[in-house]
Amino acid sequence: KAGVTQTPRYLIKTRGQQVTLSCSPISGHRSVSWYQQTPGQGLQFLFEYFSETQRNKGNFPGRFSGRQFSNSRSEMNVSTLELGDSALYLCASSTPGHGTDTQYFGPGTRLTVL
Amino acid sequence: QKEVEQNSGPLSVPEGAIASLNCTYSDRGSQSFFWYRQYSGKSPELIMSIYSNGDKEDGRFTAQLNKASQYVSLLIRDSQPSDSATYLCAGTIGSGNTGKLIFGQGTTLQVKP
């Protein structure tokens, strides 16, 4: 079974621009979670989508948004980029169950904001 | 207090030794715990999941969970240089937090030949 895929793998943007990142989950997985990883803050939860609905959201500003499509693919968007948004953005997919939400991560998108 | 805490290390062990990685969490309502391994420049890779008190073994890896002490650990037996990586402890904190894992800062493990 193919793993989680993310595109693009690398991005360089300038402050004020916006960016869209894509994530395709493992076949059959309906939940997609997004995380931001930085050296200072570690891995932080952004949001989670299931059946095209955002079920959970982390403590990030409204510039960070996402969506999920009917085929479970997900996108996240960051508007008005800031230098501090430079990070590795990871998505993870899982098959929700009662307390067994094992998440599998994609390779990540490395975003650099100049 | 952070919700999930790990010693950042580095933890250095000789090849063939047992590496012991520890993690504590703050919310007694936490249900599921996971250990991920992350090599430099790569994404986290799942090693083990554990949901019940006690030990769970998978090959050279043993995860231990003690909900009364709010403590999770990972033992790596016969450590190999290829085990050198950052190990991330994560948990589903609280109830109703679907799809949200809270991660510790990670412990860097160095296995010396």
Side-chain angles (χ1 to χ4, degrees), chain B residues 7-87:
Chain B
N7 187 323
S8 61
L11 172 66
S12 183
V13 300
E15 183 175 355
I18 296 175
S20 178
L21 304 160
N22 304 313
C23 170
T24 58
Y25 60 94
S26 60
D27 191 328
R28 287 191 174 273
S30 304
Q31 299 175 354
S32 310
F33 296 91
F34 307 88
W35 283 99
Y36 289 87
R37 176 174 62 195
Q38 186 173 27
Y39 293 110
S40 180
K42 301 295 186 182
S43 64
E45 171 193 11
L46 180 71
I47 299 176
M48 296 275 288
S49 59
I50 188 165
Y51 314 110
S52 305
N53 278 326
D55 297 358
K56 180 181 178 182
E57 187 174 319
D58 184 0
R60 296 187 297 113
F61 300 95
T62 298
Q64 300 173 317
L65 174 59
N66 184 324
K67 290 191 176 183
S69 300
Q70 296 174 242
Y71 177 89
V72 192
S73 67
L74 179 70
L75 300 177
I76 306 175
R77 288 180 300 280
D78 187 25
S79 295
Q80 301 298 308
S82 58
D83 294 326
S84 297
T86 296
Y87 289 79

Side-chain angles (χ1 to χ4, degrees), chain A residues 52-65:
Chain A
E52 302 177 65
T53 299
Q54 186 183 91
R55 292 197 301 184
N56 211 340
K57 189 177 187 307
N59 294 324
F60 279 83
R63 299 185 297 108
F64 292 82
S65 62

Side-chain angles (χ1 to χ4, degrees), chain A residues 1 7 19-20 39 61 82:
Chain A
K1 202 181 251 190
T7 56
V19 66
T20 299
E82 301 177 0

Side-chain angles (χ1 to χ4, degrees), chain A residues 27 43 72 99:
Chain A
S27 178
L43 264 159
S72 295

